């Protein structure tokens, strides 16, 4: 089964840029989706297909994917961005989704 | 816009079963795949499987094979997840989710149902 690796935590000061990595074998050839989950809430899709922003997601959120790592970038980080972030791909060999372990973003 | 509303929290004893419902409001989900995801306390997201109501076909994660059953009632736009032989490790929040624009990601999630397994 395909494995996605995320750093457990990332910290950033307000107004700075947060970058959250998602590693996987040749992940650049996969489509990566990102979710934001705040405490006690369901996940929310923030990026689909590597870099597409769903309606209602601020332009501060962007994504990229190349080689063995995908990245979720949050510009001008705000206190309200503090959450867990999960990457996800569809593992075609097993025909099911795979989630990364999640990264806790702390806004200092 | 479709919304998914799940049933309320449950407390169950080890060895028993639980059935969680997920009702679509503001639309139907018969043409979507309804995915179930589990999240243990302090842990990440774990795919349990999915059902496509219009076909009635279901796929289950190997970990849950034989213990979980997905069903759906198209008339009430409600999907169900039944998990049997509950163990303490089954304490988790269970989510239903659909992808309205793609089979491969999930843009609509239920609010989650906390199932607590305790003797």
């Amino acid at each position: 089964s395909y494995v996605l690796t995320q750093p457990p935590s990332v910290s950033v000061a307000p107004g700075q840029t947060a970058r959250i990595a998602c590693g996987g074998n040749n992940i650049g050839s996969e489509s990566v989706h990102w979710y934001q989950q705040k405490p006690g809430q369901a996940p929310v899709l923030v990026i689909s297909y590597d870099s597409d922003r769903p309606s209602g997601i601020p332009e501060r959120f962007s994504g990229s994917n190349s080689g063995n790592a995908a990245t979720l970038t949050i510009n001008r980080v705000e206190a309200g961005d503090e959450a867990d972030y999960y990457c996800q791909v569809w593992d075609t060999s097993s025909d099911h989704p795979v989630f990364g372990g999640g990264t806790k973003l702390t806004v200092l | 816009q479709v919304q998914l509303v799940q049933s309320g929290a449950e407390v169950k004893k080890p060895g028993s079963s639980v059935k969680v419902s997920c009702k679509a409001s503001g639309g139907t989900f018969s043409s979507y795949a309804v995915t179930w995801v589990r999240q243990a306390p302090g842990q990440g997201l774990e795919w349990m499987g999915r059902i496509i109501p219009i076909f009635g076909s279901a796929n289950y994660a190997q970990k849950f094979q034989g213990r979980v059953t997905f069903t759906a009632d198209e008339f009430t736009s409600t999907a169900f997840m039944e998990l049997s032989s509950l163990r303490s490790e089954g304490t988790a929040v269970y989510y239903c989710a659909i992808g309205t624009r793609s089979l491969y990601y999930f843009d609509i999630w239920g609010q989650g149902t906390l199932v607590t397994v305790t003797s």
Side-chain angles (χ1 to χ4, degrees):
Chain A
S1 187
Y2 196 78
V3 176
L4 296 174
T5 303
Q6 296 183 239
S9 63
V10 167
S11 298
V12 65
Q16 300 303 302
T17 298
R19 294 181 180 84
I20 298 173
C22 175
N25 184 32
N26 197 28
I27 195 174
S29 65
E30 309 291 339
S31 294
V32 181
H33 317 293
W34 291 91
Y35 302 87
Q36 174 194 68
Q37 186 181 32
K38 297 182 179 180
Q41 298 183 20
V44 173
L45 180 73
V46 293
I47 292 289
S48 65
Y49 287 108
D50 298 340
S51 58
D52 291 343
R53 257 181 304 103
S55 174
I57 301 302
E59 291 183 11
R60 299 184 298 104
F61 288 79
S62 63
S64 62
N65 185 18
S66 177
N68 290 315
T71 303
L72 173 68
T73 300
I74 309 172
N75 292 317
R76 301 181 299 284
V77 166
E78 303 173 356
D81 298 330
E82 192 162 276
D84 294 325
Y85 291 85
Y86 295 90
C87 57
Q88 177 245 311
V89 301
W90 193 273
D91 182 358
T92 53
S93 64
S94 56
D95 195 26
H96 68 72
V98 174
F99 293 96
T103 297
K104 181 176 179 57
L105 175 66
T106 299
V107 181
L108 300 170
Chain B
Q1 172 81 328
V2 175
Q3 290 185 309
L4 301 177
V5 180
Q6 298 184 224
S7 49
E10 302 261 13
V11 179
K12 293 292 183 179
K13 292 191 181 302
S16 67
S17 299
V18 67
K19 192 169 186 176
V20 177
S21 68
C22 169
K23 181 175 175 58
S25 65
T28 66
F29 59 34
S30 59
S31 59
Y32 303 129
V34 180
T35 289
W36 290 90
V37 173
R38 182 168 90 166
Q39 186 171 39
Q43 302 301 307
L45 304 173
E46 180 178 31
W47 181 77
M48 299 180 68
R50 68 177 180 178
I51 183 169
I52 304 177
I54 196 171
F55 298 130
S57 59
N59 303 103
Y60 302 105
Q62 191 168 7
K63 177 176 180 176
F64 300 100
Q65 282 273 6
R67 286 204 306 131
V68 70
T69 303
F70 303 144
T71 55
D73 182 340
E74 285 189 75
F75 295 103
T76 61
S77 294
T78 304
F80 301 91
M81 185 280 296
E82 184 167 20
L83 185 61
S84 62
S85 303
L86 287 169
R87 308 186 269 260
S88 58
E89 313 88 84
T91 293
V93 176
Y94 293 79
Y95 293 102
C96 59
I98 62 175
T100 62
R101 297 177 184 273
S102 170
L103 284 173
Y104 305 115
Y105 64 78
F106 316 108
D107 54 350
I108 307 290
W109 292 69
Q111 83 276 21
T113 296
L114 174 62
V115 176
T116 303
V117 183
T118 177
S119 54

